[in-house]
Amino acid sequence: MTITRQDTDAIRALQGLEDARSSVRLRAALAVGTTPDPRFVDKLIERCAIEPEFFVRDMLTWALTRHPVSMTLPGLLREVRAERAQARSQALHTLSKIGDRQAWPAITRALLSDADDEVARSAWRAAVLLVPEGEEPALATVLATQLGRGGRETQLSLSRALVALGEAIVPALLAGTTAPDPRMRAHALATQRLLRDPDAGFEFAIEEAKRAVVLGGSGQEGR
């Protein structure tokens, strides 16, 4: 059997994805994305689940977006159900970059409330990009159950996802402002502020909301 130059390049790129040096893995992912080949898809998805370097993972995602959706979607949809958290997170991130709404049914409530913050954040971003028209209020209701969760970065991610849904989030946020949990109430108030004033910084909005909760107000007085 004749081995062509293209075959040699493909073998070299696939080997490069597993090199111990991150710079080599980055170049290999770039090469794969520059010259898409169906033979690369499974290896790219497999590597996304275990790649330790952020910039390499991002290049792997870019390389996957360069391949036809028909080739990448089945594998990515399997990965969102994987046991490894990074596999789920990176698959969700890649689906958000591809932007094909065929993936919407895979964005389950379980993923939107995943115990791993990175997985949940990736699911929130993917959900607001893939949600079908008319289903935004239902998505907002599910996302609102995560108000008050985690640290500032996680809360900011959720607020951005909610605000991206626009006015559909108003009822869910209103319910959040009366929740028993003060962290949830403060987060709901801060997100309301960001919806009204997108230029308001999250830090300012959350601190203002926390003060309102401590003082026993709703944060709506005089507005």
Side-chain angles (χ1 to χ4, degrees):
M1 184 177 71
T2 302
I3 298 179
T4 66
R5 170 66 181 274
Q6 186 177 18
D7 290 330
T8 302
D9 290 344
I11 292 169
R12 185 180 296 115
L14 289 172
Q15 291 173 337
L17 291 175
E18 297 181 344
D19 195 277
R21 294 161 294 179
S22 61
S23 60
V24 175
R25 299 197 303 276
L26 185 67
R27 288 197 298 272
L30 174 62
V32 170
T34 302
T35 311
D37 186 315
R39 292 173 293 181
F40 295 137
V41 171
D42 287 345
K43 176 59 70 174
L44 289 170
I45 293 175
E46 175 187 312
R47 190 66 208 175
C48 280
I50 59 175
E51 171 56 51
E53 297 293 332
F54 169 79
F55 291 109
V56 180
R57 290 200 302 273
D58 224 34
M59 190 65 78
L60 291 168
T61 283
W62 173 79
L64 282 165
T65 67
R66 296 271 296 158
H67 291 78
V69 174
S70 60
M71 294 179 182
T72 58
L73 197 58
L76 291 170
L77 294 181
R78 286 193 301 272
E79 287 293 280
V80 301
R81 301 189 299 273
E83 183 176 348
R84 183 187 288 266
Q86 183 175 304
R88 300 196 302 277
S89 176
Q90 199 64 25
L92 287 162
H93 174 65
T94 305
L95 289 171
S96 72
K97 293 296 184 182
I98 292 172
D100 192 299
R101 286 184 169 173
Q102 292 181 82
W104 168 248
I107 313 299
T108 61
R109 180 184 284 264
L111 286 172
L112 294 170
S113 58
D114 197 282
D116 186 280
D117 284 347
E118 284 303 313
V119 175
R121 290 170 63 180
S122 295
W124 301 337
R125 289 191 292 267
V128 299
L129 289 168
L130 300 176
V131 61
E133 187 175 352
E135 295 196 34
E136 294 89 350
L139 174 59
T141 299
V142 176
L143 292 180
T145 66
Q146 302 302 297
L147 287 166
R149 170 180 174 162
R152 291 295 171 86
E153 284 302 313
T154 298
Q155 292 191 10
L156 176 57
S157 290
L158 181 60
S159 290
R160 284 174 171 165
L162 284 163
V163 169
L165 294 175
E167 294 299 316
I169 69 171
V170 171
L173 286 184
L174 187 59
T177 63
T178 61
D181 184 347
R183 282 172 55 86
M184 182 176 281
R185 293 201 304 274
H187 195 183
L189 289 168
T191 306
Q192 280 184 332
R193 172 66 185 268
L194 291 176
L195 180 63
R196 292 193 304 268
D197 181 10
D199 293 328
F202 182 73
E203 287 294 325
F204 174 79
I206 195 70
E207 290 302 326
E208 181 185 61
K210 284 166 66 176
R211 283 194 296 272
V213 168
V214 168
L215 293 171
S218 67
Q220 309 296 319
E221 292 83 353
R223 296 181 185 174

